[in-house]
Amino acid sequence: MKKVYLDHNATTPVHPEVMEAMKPYFMDEFGNPSSLHGYGRKSRVAIESAREKIAGIFKCLPQEIIFTSGGTESNNLAIKGIAWARKNMGRHIITSTIEHHAVLEPFHYLERNGFEATFLEPDSNGRISVDDLKNALRTDTILVSIIHANNETGTIQDIAELALITHKTGALFHTDAVQSTGKIPYEIDKLGVDILSVSGHKLYAPKGVGLLYLNKKVKIQQLNHGGSHESNRRAGTENVPGIVGLAKAIEIAWRDMDEETERLTKLTGIFTEEVKKRIPDITIIGDQKHRVPNTVSIAFSAVEGESILLSLDLKGIAVSAGSACASGETEPSHVILAMGVPPELAQATIRFSFGRLNDFSDIDYVLDALEKEVDRLRSISPLYHNS
Ligand SMILES: *Cc1c(COP(=O)(O)O)cnc(C)c1O
């Protein structure tokens, strides 16, 4: 049976070049980077050259990169670390209703611990308005956190404008760039953010490694207490192979960006057009102009997204219904609901997220399976009335 993986926003396979770069650091070069002997020094050099490589690509300083265990930790360190460090300057924080749980939950935690949070609503395309942010900012606002590209819809926010408005009041700006990194090019100073989160496994590096960019002027309260790793900002022995792999993955992503963007834009464009042609009563979710090139989110009226997911799985096709983290629950995605999509349509949404191994033969296979399965599920759905 053919297998097609269309769930790259959930996780990606490690790139062969990333694997090669990491290999020596599991067995031969296994030293603890904090050790003073030769073994340790080799690991230290590997980490510091990874840091320099990433800083060169992001156009920031090496000391502004903090390595973490992934996107969730980076978001927690950013949000809680800034809130605790600035709690005497103000207790108001702002985010949006379309964030990943790894941003929403730290915000809810801070709400239970003496902070007041404002959650901005997106428009029907999933975009956050600069004016809404402007109106929400107060003199006691210390932090704004807005996702760069959404994991469920692929919608990209105008981070540069949002950060600019935020800075006028003296608040700091964080962005969860887990889904944008590797999919769209950026430079930190052009984005204008103070803090930015990246996760390795969303861009062909392994799971369990990530980074936080932190502007050198910004003080943070560390969450992990222990050794003096990462300049006293994140205690814990560094994941040396993971860090080497993350730097390689970022290098490859930026190297291949133009070519991959063109290819993925074509693939998702043709896929979307064909779905529109072949399957009636569908709704494309999210802003089609401001989106990452790999993500297509479509609602198929009168069928459960989860039923589509399971029937495609039987044909070797991997997609996601709603948020990957929420699967197992039958709750519709909070992101899609926040955009004003009715619950029954949100419930009927499938996310197709393409990646470097997908090609045109995959599209043909998926389109045939999708057309058949949606048709079959609708024929047994009491909700579907073909007009
Ligand atoms: C996957 C994801 C995270 C969490 O990253 P992990 O490395 O899996 O902890 C955070 N934010 C977004 C937008 C994501 O897609």
Side-chain angles (χ1 to χ4, degrees):
M1 183 173 64
K2 188 173 167 73
K3 280 172 78 181
V4 182
Y5 184 78
L6 289 181
D7 203 12
H8 291 81
N9 289 8
T11 197
T12 58
V14 170
H15 192 294
E17 288 179 57
V18 170
M19 192 63 208
E20 275 312 304
M22 287 170 57
K23 262 185 190 164
Y25 298 94
F26 286 104
M27 290 176 75
D28 298 330
E29 313 292 353
F30 65 89
N32 185 324
S34 298
S35 299
L36 296 178
H37 47 62
Y39 292 86
R41 286 197 306 273
K42 280 207 164 155
S43 291
R44 174 56 52 201
V45 166
I47 292 179
E48 296 317 319
S49 43
R51 204 186 306 276
E52 274 165 33
K53 191 190 274 179
I54 295 167
I57 294 167
F58 283 9
K59 302 272 194 303
C60 66
L61 300 170
Q63 67 265 32
E64 293 177 317
I65 301 289
I66 304 172
F67 291 114
T68 68
S69 66
T72 302
E73 187 191 340
S74 292
N75 285 342
N76 271 269
L77 180 57
I79 295 160
K80 297 192 286 198
I82 292 296
W84 294 133
R86 306 191 117 212
K87 64 178 190 299
N88 295 329
M89 299 167 76
R91 297 281 177 109
H92 182 234
I93 51 182
I94 300 175
T95 186
S96 78
T97 52
I98 54 165
E99 301 295 316
H100 190 273
H101 288 291
V103 165
L104 291 176
E105 290 311 316
F107 266 75
H108 290 143
Y109 165 81
L110 289 170
E111 279 187 306
R112 295 192 297 274
N113 285 276
F115 290 84
E116 189 190 336
T118 299
F119 296 86
L120 300 175
E121 299 274 355
D123 65 15
S124 60
N125 280 335
R127 297 257 290 170
I128 301 296
S129 126
V130 176
D131 281 336
D132 287 355
L133 174 58
K134 199 172 174 180
N135 293 332
L137 284 162
R138 311 192 317 212
T139 50
D140 63 339
T141 308
I142 53 169
L143 175 69
V144 175
S145 178
I146 304 287
I147 192 166
H148 193 191
N150 186 269
N151 45 303
E152 296 188 41
T153 59
T155 302
I156 300 169
Q157 304 299 333
D158 194 347
I159 293 300
E161 284 295 318
L162 295 165
L164 193 70
I165 284 292
T166 299
H167 287 149
K168 293 202 168 140
T169 67
L172 294 175
F173 194 93
H174 165 253
T175 189
D176 175 343
V178 169
Q179 289 292 343
S180 57
T181 306
K183 299 192 180 103
I184 51 172
Y186 60 73
E187 290 172 10
I188 298 279
D189 59 338
K190 295 208 177 111
L191 279 182
V193 301
D194 306 291
I195 319 145
L196 170 144
S197 303
V198 173
S199 169
H201 75 101
K202 306 288 173 79
L203 77 149
Y204 306 96
K207 294 157 189 68
V209 68
L211 67 81
L212 190 68
Y213 157 81
L214 181 69
N215 185 292
K216 68 174 190 303
K217 295 191 199 109
V218 176
K219 295 256 175 319
I220 204 160
Q221 165 86 61
Q222 62 178 321
L223 304 181
N224 269 13
H225 295 87
S228 60
H229 312 91
E230 299 298 284
S231 310
N232 282 312
R233 294 169 302 183
R234 196 271 184 181
T237 300
E238 301 88 338
N239 174 357
V240 183
I243 289 168
V244 169
L246 178 59
K248 190 72 189 176
I250 290 173
E251 184 186 11
I252 293 168
W254 258 256
R255 180 193 74 194
D256 297 348
M257 188 83 69
D258 289 350
E259 205 180 313
E260 264 306 272
T261 300
E262 193 185 324
R263 205 181 65 83
L264 287 170
T265 305
K266 224 179 255 170
L267 273 177
T268 52
I270 290 172
F271 176 75
T272 309
E273 284 315 305
E274 283 300 312
V275 171
K276 279 189 202 161
K277 258 188 234 161
R278 295 203 205 176
I279 307 176
D281 303 313
I282 61 145
T283 311
I284 312 284
I285 310 281
D287 194 304
Q288 291 310 289
K289 205 168 106 213
H290 305 100
R291 68 171 184 97
V292 288
N294 82 314
T295 308
V296 183
S297 178
I298 306 177
F300 300 88
S301 312
V303 286
E304 287 283 326
E306 220 161 62
S307 309
I308 300 177
L309 184 157
L310 295 174
S311 37
L312 291 180
D313 183 45
L314 291 174
K315 297 188 168 181
I317 300 165
V319 297
S320 142
S323 167
C325 308
S327 55
E329 301 167 26
T330 46
E331 291 291 298
S333 142
H334 68 277
V335 172
I336 295 170
L337 287 180
M339 293 163 61
V341 175
E344 60 280 8
L345 207 53
Q347 201 75 280
T349 301
I350 290 287
R351 175 186 73 191
F352 306 88
S353 51
F354 292 71
R356 55 178 294 273
L357 298 180
N358 296 126
D359 60 22
F360 286 96
S361 74
D362 293 345
I363 293 194
D364 290 336
Y365 182 68
V366 174
L367 283 167
D368 286 344
L370 191 64
E371 188 177 2
K372 258 191 216 114
E373 290 310 314
V374 170
D375 196 43
R376 184 182 65 80
L377 290 165
R378 278 177 174 170
S379 73
I380 56 172
S381 165
L383 300 172
Y384 193 68
H385 308 287
N386 206 341
S387 42

